[in-house]
Amino acid sequence: MTYSVAVSGASGYAGGEILRLLAAHPDIEIRTVTAHSNAGQPLVRHQPHLRSLSHLTLQDTTPEVLAGHDIVVLALPHGQSGQYTDALADTPIVIDAGADHRLTDASAWAQFYGGDFHAPWTYGVPELVVDGAKQRELLAGATRIAAPGCNASTVALSLAPGVAAGVIDPSDIVTVLAVGPSGAGKSLKTNLLASEILGSANPYAVGGSHRHIPEIRQALVGAGAVGDVRISFTPVLVPMARGILATSTAPIAPGVSDAQIREAWADAYAGEAFVQLLDEGEFPRTADVLGANTALLGLAIDRAANRVVVVAAVDNLVKGTAGAAVQSLNIALGLPEDRALTVNGVAP
Amino acid sequence: MTYSVAVSGASGYAGGEILRLLAAHPDIEIRTVTAHSNAGQPLVRHQPHLRSLSHLTLQDTTPEVLAGHDIVVLALPHGQSGQYTDALADTPIVIDAGADHRLTDASAWAQFYGGDFHAPWTYGVPELVVDGAKQRELLAGATRIAAPGCNASTVALSLAPGVAAGVIDPSDIVTVLAVGPSGAGKSLKTNLLASEILGSANPYAVGGSHRHIPEIRQALVGAGAVGDVRISFTPVLVPMARGILATSTAPIAPGVSDAQIREAWADAYAGEAFVQLLDEGEFPRTADVLGANTALLGLAIDRAANRVVVVAAVDNLVKGTAGAAVQSLNIALGLPEDRALTVNGVAP
Amino acid sequence: MTYSVAVSGASGYAGGEILRLLAAHPDIEIRTVTAHSNAGQPLVRHQPHLRSLSHLTLQDTTPEVLAGHDIVVLALPHGQSGQYTDALADTPIVIDAGADHRLTDASAWAQFYGGDFHAPWTYGVPELVVDGAKQRELLAGATRIAAPGCNASTVALSLAPGVAAGVIDPSDIVTVLAVGPSGAGKSLKTNLLASEILGSANPYAVGGSHRHIPEIRQALVGAGAVGDVRISFTPVLVPMARGILATSTAPIAPGVSDAQIREAWADAYAGEAFVQLLDEGEFPRTADVLGANTALLGLAIDRAANRVVVVAAVDNLVKGTAGAAVQSLNIALGLPEDRALTVNGVAP
Amino acid sequence: MTYSVAVSGASGYAGGEILRLLAAHPDIEIRTVTAHSNAGQPLVRHQPHLRSLSHLTLQDTTPEVLAGHDIVVLALPHGQSGQYTDALADTPIVIDAGADHRLTDASAWAQFYGGDFHAPWTYGVPELVVDGAKQRELLAGATRIAAPGCNASTVALSLAPGVAAGVIDPSDIVTVLAVGPSGAGKSLKTNLLASEILGSANPYAVGGSHRHIPEIRQALVGAGAVGDVRISFTPVLVPMARGILATSTAPIAPGVSDAQIREAWADAYAGEAFVQLLDEGEFPRTADVLGANTALLGLAIDRAANRVVVVAAVDNLVKGTAGAAVQSLNIALGLPEDRALTVNGVAP
């Protein structure tokens, strides 16, 4: 059967990527695309790379327009999805690509986002280790799915195996990320201008204010972290349109061997197509996953510094957002998990 | 008076930057430029941006050619400067832009570089806190100067004030750097090709193998670190020709206040033109220091993570290498320290 | 049925892209990958983005290794394919991604390439206007296919409709191209280093020496050009890994109307999925076709300058090379022309 | 003596570059900086690279604030400088970095800009060939100076010598430019976002609508063009913050020799520091002039295409705008022409 889909926020970067993936999905019909300020215009005016969708026109993002589809994807700024909840009550599957349904802790929401708190939906990172199982199991048959934060899922996938296996200490995590500006959306801000970012590395949200921090903490607690999970988290904008290269380190737990450490990750991701641990001594580049739904992890054990170092490469718009949504959707629908998703990146 | 200079390695990136700075130096005459494989060719064929030096021809790098100048700058691969020591015995000032005369510890040299160990020269980072004073004092009248490693000096300047003041714990430093490929030199390696680096973030030397680690440790011990200095150090190549954006974190020492932490850096760099602490809440971009001899530091205190975060922006070829050399030379010669050096970057 | 394929030059950029496309091709089994200097190593060491092919090992490029497949793709430096001709005599389909079998004119080969001249194979640009028909017709059932030069096919597709319709004068074409360095291959040359290309625009082969010039001339003569075809052709390397943005202009033929001009292109590409004329006033960006097999054309008529301006965006590795090869292969095999090829680019 | 300066538009890119250059000018005191929306804020908040000017606060751009200086620089959007004319009647020198006082032809103004036409000021391109002399002569003692359009002056300098010498035909010029986005200013437009420009080449103003076209025509008529001057002009945004790489071609005039062609440019720029013709076979890169006031020209004679090709590299913010302003100012004041300006670029 073919499922009808409506995608809101279709003129933005996340919405555009969802459309790019769904356009190649044999079980999906993209019936409706909506946007706020650009309603009435052809989709390709705002997404000129989506030539196969040149027949679509952006409509207003209203409950009425979104209702009546098998699947609705909300790619909206945080705080905006709640207004569509009632109208979409009968929609079989709703995916929120925004932040509104990710956090389980209302106080964390209040601290990092503010505004009304919404109950969490099923978190869209299938490979995440959760209580000795995988998040995939919870996604089977799910009807309300929260696509992850791109940085959050990258770091959670980087560290959850070590936390679950007890080979690293989650109380003193340090993560620094090189990220492309598309993660910040198509926002008209001076710091996102090409002239500001070309040839430069620009830190932001330094010192613990980034909104993905509670999402990482939540994931690592879910993976089995005992005691406090503390994260020093610093993102740095670098001159590439897409990509996250997250370097995450945590202290080595006392008494564990190198083999035990490596096994924790190898076991967690054995057989996973979209989260792969590279061979010892190899580390990934963001170009290797461009356009792909793959998270590549490289693992080093630095005994001199007493830290495990995990370097993860993810395409923020695919595995970080839209690919996670489609993969989760495939699971929810009982389709092959990799439908319309690619393992191989577009490089160079 | 005008000092005559010979610059070896003049066809490379470090050599080229030294020439760019010295070409604007009113007290310096660039008399000789040398290179290995390109001897006999016009300098501008290899440094086409140095139009004011289009009269110069590259000569062979031999002791005879280098001897007889007031100042010799060696911009050679590590391990090569020793062969010129005897021939330059009478040269008033020799600056090594390579690694051969930086380390005081022969075992660190053996572990990270290998080959013959050479006695250390005066380290060319004037603002570095050393035993309660500044390295500047040691540079006054120096005759043999070791220009620093670009990453090493960036991290050392980032953390030395906190170490010296005892407000951070140097035993668990984590540093991740976004760096431009010019720091790796004009080497014909696949991983330095434009196609490999454009649009990608590429980690290297992950897990504790980078050669600048012992240099940082040495600087922080010199700044007064008590006990072990341990550093998790991960550099990431990003698509900008120049620049280092170093994010360095260390645990907050027990019992210190935010004000004490901030004062440590503010006091250390008060009055310094080329190392500046930004106002609270502000963090530097590498574009802000492009072409300039300035290190800009932003400081955050993350109590939730119990870590101080210092973000430093440096032009690897200027303050990281050639500018450090020229600044040190100015001090050694008793000239104004900022001669031929600029504080303002070329941005955007 | 499934066709077995061997790809030579598999560690390079063109070879890698052919593998990326074929890895998603349901009718193809990639059985053999070969390389010269890297034989014996895992493919993913050289193509780390091709994770789905991590089971493949590079073999030597010898006639024996290449023989015995249904399809052989030669992605070799020019002048090298001839040595495999005899050994591949029984191979049903051979595709040369290099230049050896593109030119019909031995004197043009001698002038721009040199060395042995080889008879031309069927040219792999299906949408090209040829004598009032399309090159597609010649590709049906072809057994020896010459994939095009990326710049050449981009310019040929840009101008052939106007030449064929007689609405532009081919005797004074001017083309300037912004191109990414991947078109130059994975060659260890100083001018291809990231430090040389980041933040810079670098012209090369200025003044009429580029090897794609005779290939363009040949295509435009084939399209019906009367009299001399003369092209001023200037490529400029710009800091993007992939992509060609070709601006091609030619004088407006006397007496033709704007409508006649526009119709020439609209008619030529009506119904084509992979070569699309944008609406009036719209012009393409290379990002719009990244990873896609699409050539997007924007057309302007500048009466003040008396010139038609065609701006074309192509991914040099896809529609410019590997996608052209796969599209041609699909036609030759009688498969759907778009199998394993995408219309939509990966943007931003 | 020291001249006091006020710079309006000080929070923008052109204003910032003027400040960067003047900050190093020994005869200038930057007394006042103004902006529209950002008045009251520290200059360094908007120009964080100008650390030496961290004492300055942005003031409102009003006639009262600007009046009373020796020199006023207007770096405003076009159409805005006229309102300050009366208030600045007594200001010894006024430089307009905008377009308002460049064109001599009111109808060209009306066609390409619109709004009130203002009388032209002395055009700030000292090396431009004008009626057998140089524009420099007109700038000596000038009190009202129009800094050039960056693309316009680049193309004018590229072609004026050939036009003046009669060795090229100005009736069929074709120019295509690779340009960095800083030329478009710090404008919040979607097409200037980093995500849109990174990894992409984006044409704009295709087909003859760019505002610099009449400025080029005017300069070439001034250089001695006989008959129509017609220009096909296509700018392409490429992923570098700064820089113009202009490829300009024109038909070779009948009967002229290669030597005559080359001599035209060699003679025109003999002895010029800031406009240099490269040796035969050499062509410039924009990196070679980054931060420098230099225009580098490479010249090819393509007899097969019957065209002269001039490739010019310019830093749009320096020689294209701010450097042109400072150079012109130096001439107007009788100072050494190169004061505060550098010939050497910042590369790599």
Side-chain angles (χ1 to χ4, degrees):
Chain A
M1 89 173 261
T2 298
Y3 301 92
S4 65
V5 173
V7 175
S8 68
S11 60
Y13 292 145
E17 191 69 359
I18 287 166
L19 291 169
R20 184 179 74 85
L21 296 176
L22 293 181
H25 197 303
D27 305 302
I28 295 288
E29 179 211 357
I30 301 171
R31 188 176 296 167
T32 304
V33 291
T34 80
H36 272 287
S37 52
N38 304 311
Q41 299 178 12
L43 174 67
V44 284
R45 186 170 304 166
H46 298 278
Q47 309 285 12
H49 60 299
L50 299 180
R51 298 297 304 173
S52 80
L53 303 178
S54 55
H55 57 288
L56 294 175
T57 298
L58 292 165
Q59 301 184 50
D60 270 320
T61 304
T62 64
E64 294 71 30
V65 169
L66 294 179
H69 298 80
D70 298 320
I71 301 159
V72 170
V73 180
L74 302 171
L76 303 169
H78 79 86
Q80 295 198 7
S81 66
Q83 61 191 296
Y84 303 102
T85 306
D86 291 348
L88 301 179
D90 296 334
T91 301
I93 295 186
V94 183
I95 301 176
D96 190 351
D100 289 11
H101 299 90
R102 292 178 195 153
L103 296 187
T104 56
D105 178 352
S107 68
W109 177 266
Q111 181 187 347
F112 284 87
Y113 291 91
D116 291 343
F117 176 71
H118 299 277
W121 291 356
T122 308
Y123 193 57
V125 186
E127 302 88 350
L128 196 62
V129 176
V130 180
D131 286 335
K134 288 283 178 71
Q135 181 68 13
R136 174 180 290 117
E137 299 178 20
L138 302 175
L139 284 162
T143 62
R144 294 293 178 270
I145 298 169
C150 53
N151 300 306
S153 59
T154 302
V155 178
L157 287 168
S158 296
L159 297 179
V163 167
V167 299
I168 57 173
D169 168 7
S171 73
D172 192 21
I173 294 165
V174 177
T175 297
V176 180
L177 308 94
V179 301
S182 62
K186 208 185 268 189
S187 313
L188 293 179
K189 297 176 181 168
T190 299
N191 69 315
L192 297 179
L193 288 176
S195 297
E196 303 290 313
I197 286 178
L198 283 160
S200 192
N202 303 359
Y204 70 100
V206 182
S209 63
H210 197 282
R211 285 169 165 166
H212 287 180
I213 293 174
E215 190 176 335
I216 299 168
R217 275 207 302 252
Q218 174 176 306
L220 296 183
V221 168
V226 187
D228 276 357
V229 176
R230 295 194 293 192
I231 308 165
S232 170
F233 183 94
T234 309
V236 178
L237 282 170
V238 300
M240 56 189 189
R242 305 179 165 218
I244 297 173
L245 201 287
T247 301
S248 300
T249 82
I252 302 172
V256 301
S257 69
D258 286 10
Q260 285 173 308
I261 294 170
R262 205 163 169 88
E263 271 172 34
W265 275 264
D267 288 355
Y269 298 132
E272 294 288 358
F274 292 131
V275 183
Q276 299 193 21
L277 177 65
L278 299 183
D279 288 345
E280 201 171 335
E282 301 204 339
F283 297 90
R285 313 172 305 167
T286 60
D288 296 334
V289 296
L290 192 134
N293 194 47
T294 315
L296 294 180
L297 308 184
L299 174 71
I301 303 168
D302 185 346
R303 291 281 172 184
N306 193 40
R307 284 191 166 256
V308 168
V309 182
V310 180
V311 180
V314 158
D315 183 324
N316 56 302
L317 291 177
V318 191
K319 185 61 179 168
T321 305
V326 172
Q327 186 183 357
S328 298
L329 176 65
N330 285 337
I331 296 170
L333 291 171
L335 298 172
E337 192 171 325
D338 65 351
R339 189 149 288 176
L341 298 171
T342 58
V343 167
N344 296 339
V346 180
Chain B
M1 97 171 253
T2 298
Y3 301 91
S4 64
V5 174
V7 174
S8 67
S11 60
Y13 292 147
E17 191 69 358
I18 288 165
L19 290 170
R20 185 180 73 85
L21 297 175
L22 292 181
H25 198 303
D27 306 303
I28 295 288
E29 180 212 357
I30 301 171
R31 190 175 294 168
T32 303
V33 291
T34 80
H36 272 288
S37 52
N38 304 312
Q41 299 177 13
L43 174 67
V44 286
R45 184 169 307 166
H46 298 277
Q47 309 285 10
H49 60 298
L50 300 179
R51 298 298 303 174
S52 80
L53 304 179
S54 55
H55 57 288
L56 293 175
T57 298
L58 291 165
Q59 301 183 49
D60 271 320
T61 305
T62 64
E64 295 70 32
V65 169
L66 294 178
H69 298 82
D70 298 320
I71 301 159
V72 170
V73 181
L74 301 171
L76 303 170
H78 80 86
Q80 296 197 4
S81 68
Q83 60 192 297
Y84 303 103
T85 306
D86 291 348
L88 301 178
D90 296 334
T91 301
I93 295 184
V94 183
I95 301 176
D96 190 351
D100 289 10
H101 299 91
R102 292 178 193 153
L103 296 186
T104 57
D105 179 351
S107 68
W109 177 266
Q111 182 187 346
F112 284 88
Y113 291 91
D116 291 344
F117 176 71
H118 298 277
W121 291 357
T122 308
Y123 194 56
V125 186
E127 303 88 350
L128 195 63
V129 176
V130 180
D131 286 335
K134 290 281 180 68
Q135 181 68 11
R136 175 180 289 116
E137 298 178 22
L138 302 175
L139 284 162
T143 61
R144 294 293 178 274
I145 297 168
C150 53
N151 299 306
S153 60
T154 300
V155 178
L157 288 167
S158 296
L159 296 179
V163 168
V167 299
I168 57 173
D169 169 5
S171 73
D172 192 20
I173 295 166
V174 178
T175 296
V176 180
L177 308 96
V179 300
S182 63
K186 205 185 273 188
S187 311
L188 293 179
K189 296 176 182 168
T190 299
N191 68 316
L192 297 178
L193 288 176
S195 297
E196 303 291 313
I197 287 179
L198 284 159
S200 192
N202 304 1
Y204 69 101
V206 182
S209 63
H210 197 284
R211 286 169 164 165
H212 287 181
I213 293 174
E215 191 177 335
I216 300 168
R217 276 208 301 253
Q218 174 176 305
L220 297 183
V221 168
V226 186
D228 275 357
V229 176
R230 295 195 292 194
I231 308 166
S232 170
F233 182 94
T234 310
V236 178
L237 282 171
V238 300
M240 57 190 188
R242 302 181 169 220
I244 296 172
L245 200 288
T247 300
S248 300
T249 83
I252 303 172
V256 300
S257 69
D258 286 10
Q260 285 173 307
I261 294 170
R262 205 164 169 83
E263 271 172 33
W265 276 264
D267 289 355
Y269 298 131
E272 294 289 358
F274 291 130
V275 184
Q276 299 193 23
L277 177 66
L278 299 183
D279 288 345
E280 202 170 334
E282 302 204 339
F283 297 90
R285 312 172 306 169
T286 59
D288 296 335
V289 297
L290 191 133
N293 195 48
T294 314
L296 295 180
L297 308 184
L299 175 71
I301 302 167
D302 184 346
R303 289 283 173 184
N306 193 39
R307 284 191 166 257
V308 169
V309 182
V310 180
V311 180
V314 158
D315 184 324
N316 56 303
L317 290 177
V318 191
K319 185 61 177 169
T321 305
V326 172
Q327 185 183 357
S328 298
L329 176 65
N330 286 337
I331 295 170
L333 291 170
L335 298 172
E337 192 171 323
D338 65 350
R339 189 149 288 174
L341 298 171
T342 58
V343 167
N344 297 338
V346 179
Chain C
M1 94 171 255
T2 298
Y3 300 93
S4 65
V5 174
V7 174
S8 68
S11 61
Y13 293 146
E17 191 69 358
I18 287 166
L19 291 169
R20 184 179 74 85
L21 297 175
L22 292 182
H25 198 302
D27 305 303
I28 296 288
E29 180 211 358
I30 302 172
R31 188 174 296 168
T32 304
V33 291
T34 79
H36 272 288
S37 53
N38 304 310
Q41 300 178 12
L43 174 67
V44 285
R45 186 169 305 164
H46 298 278
Q47 308 286 11
H49 60 299
L50 299 179
R51 298 296 304 173
S52 80
L53 303 178
S54 55
H55 56 288
L56 293 175
T57 298
L58 291 165
Q59 301 184 49
D60 270 321
T61 305
T62 64
E64 294 70 32
V65 169
L66 294 178
H69 298 80
D70 298 319
I71 301 158
V72 169
V73 181
L74 302 171
L76 303 169
H78 80 86
Q80 295 197 5
S81 67
Q83 60 191 296
Y84 304 103
T85 306
D86 291 346
L88 301 179
D90 295 334
T91 301
I93 295 186
V94 182
I95 301 177
D96 190 352
D100 289 10
H101 299 91
R102 292 178 193 152
L103 296 186
T104 57
D105 179 350
S107 68
W109 177 265
Q111 182 186 346
F112 284 87
Y113 291 90
D116 290 345
F117 175 73
H118 298 277
W121 291 357
T122 308
Y123 193 56
V125 186
E127 303 87 350
L128 196 63
V129 177
V130 180
D131 285 334
K134 290 283 178 71
Q135 181 68 12
R136 174 180 291 115
E137 300 179 20
L138 301 175
L139 284 162
T143 60
R144 294 293 177 273
I145 297 169
C150 53
N151 300 306
S153 61
T154 301
V155 178
L157 288 167
S158 296
L159 297 178
V163 168
V167 298
I168 57 173
D169 168 6
S171 74
D172 192 20
I173 294 165
V174 177
T175 296
V176 181
L177 308 95
V179 300
S182 62
K186 207 185 269 189
S187 312
L188 294 179
K189 296 176 181 168
T190 298
N191 69 316
L192 297 178
L193 288 176
S195 298
E196 303 291 311
I197 286 178
L198 283 159
S200 191
N202 303 1
Y204 69 101
V206 183
S209 63
H210 196 284
R211 286 170 165 165
H212 289 180
I213 293 175
E215 191 177 334
I216 300 168
R217 275 206 303 252
Q218 175 176 307
L220 296 183
V221 168
V226 185
D228 276 356
V229 176
R230 295 194 293 193
I231 308 166
S232 169
F233 182 95
T234 310
V236 178
L237 282 171
V238 301
M240 55 189 190
R242 302 180 169 221
I244 296 172
L245 200 288
T247 300
S248 300
T249 82
I252 302 171
V256 300
S257 69
D258 287 9
Q260 286 173 305
I261 293 170
R262 207 165 166 84
E263 270 172 33
W265 276 263
D267 290 354
Y269 298 131
E272 294 287 359
F274 292 130
V275 183
Q276 300 192 21
L277 178 65
L278 299 183
D279 288 345
E280 200 170 335
E282 301 203 341
F283 297 90
R285 313 171 306 169
T286 59
D288 296 335
V289 297
L290 191 133
N293 194 48
T294 315
L296 295 179
L297 307 185
L299 174 72
I301 302 167
D302 185 346
R303 290 282 173 183
N306 193 39
R307 283 190 168 256
V308 169
V309 182
V310 180
V311 180
V314 159
D315 184 324
N316 56 302
L317 291 177
V318 191
K319 185 62 176 167
T321 304
V326 172
Q327 185 182 358
S328 298
L329 175 65
N330 286 337
I331 296 169
L333 292 171
L335 298 172
E337 191 170 325
D338 65 351
R339 189 147 290 175
L341 299 170
T342 59
V343 167
N344 296 338
V346 179
Chain D
M1 98 172 251
T2 298
Y3 301 92
S4 64
V5 174
V7 174
S8 68
S11 60
Y13 293 147
E17 191 68 358
I18 288 166
L19 291 169
R20 184 179 74 85
L21 296 176
L22 292 181
H25 198 301
D27 305 302
I28 296 287
E29 180 210 359
I30 302 171
R31 189 175 294 169
T32 303
V33 291
T34 81
H36 273 286
S37 53
N38 304 311
Q41 298 178 11
L43 174 67
V44 285
R45 186 170 304 167
H46 298 278
Q47 308 285 11
H49 60 299
L50 300 179
R51 298 296 305 172
S52 80
L53 303 178
S54 55
H55 57 288
L56 293 175
T57 298
L58 291 165
Q59 301 184 50
D60 271 320
T61 305
T62 65
E64 295 71 30
V65 168
L66 294 178
H69 297 81
D70 298 320
I71 302 158
V72 170
V73 181
L74 302 170
L76 304 169
H78 80 86
Q80 294 197 6
S81 68
Q83 60 192 296
Y84 303 102
T85 307
D86 291 347
L88 300 179
D90 295 334
T91 301
I93 295 185
V94 183
I95 301 176
D96 191 352
D100 289 10
H101 299 91
R102 292 178 194 152
L103 296 186
T104 57
D105 179 351
S107 69
W109 177 265
Q111 181 187 346
F112 283 87
Y113 291 90
D116 291 344
F117 176 72
H118 299 277
W121 291 357
T122 308
Y123 193 57
V125 186
E127 301 88 348
L128 197 63
V129 176
V130 180
D131 286 334
K134 290 282 179 71
Q135 181 68 10
R136 175 179 289 115
E137 298 178 21
L138 302 176
L139 284 162
T143 62
R144 295 294 178 273
I145 297 169
C150 53
N151 299 308
S153 60
T154 301
V155 179
L157 288 167
S158 296
L159 297 179
V163 168
V167 299
I168 57 173
D169 169 6
S171 74
D172 192 20
I173 294 165
V174 177
T175 296
V176 180
L177 308 95
V179 300
S182 63
K186 207 185 272 190
S187 311
L188 293 179
K189 297 176 181 167
T190 298
N191 68 316
L192 296 178
L193 288 176
S195 297
E196 303 291 313
I197 288 178
L198 283 160
S200 191
N202 305 358
Y204 69 101
V206 182
S209 63
H210 196 284
R211 285 168 165 165
H212 287 180
I213 293 174
E215 191 177 335
I216 299 168
R217 276 208 300 253
Q218 175 175 305
L220 296 183
V221 169
V226 186
D228 276 356
V229 176
R230 295 195 292 193
I231 308 166
S232 170
F233 182 95
T234 309
V236 178
L237 282 171
V238 300
M240 57 188 189
R242 305 179 167 218
I244 295 171
L245 201 287
T247 301
S248 300
T249 82
I252 302 172
V256 299
S257 69
D258 287 10
Q260 285 173 308
I261 293 169
R262 204 161 170 88
E263 271 172 32
W265 275 264
D267 289 354
Y269 298 131
E272 294 288 358
F274 292 130
V275 183
Q276 299 192 21
L277 177 66
L278 299 183
D279 288 346
E280 200 170 336
E282 301 203 340
F283 298 90
R285 312 173 306 168
T286 59
D288 296 335
V289 296
L290 191 133
N293 194 49
T294 314
L296 295 180
L297 308 184
L299 174 72
I301 303 167
D302 184 346
R303 290 282 172 184
N306 193 38
R307 285 192 166 255
V308 168
V309 182
V310 181
V311 180
V314 158
D315 184 324
N316 56 304
L317 291 177
V318 191
K319 185 60 178 169
T321 306
V326 171
Q327 185 183 357
S328 297
L329 176 65
N330 285 337
I331 296 170
L333 292 170
L335 298 172
E337 193 170 324
D338 66 351
R339 188 149 290 177
L341 298 170
T342 59
V343 168
N344 296 338
V346 179

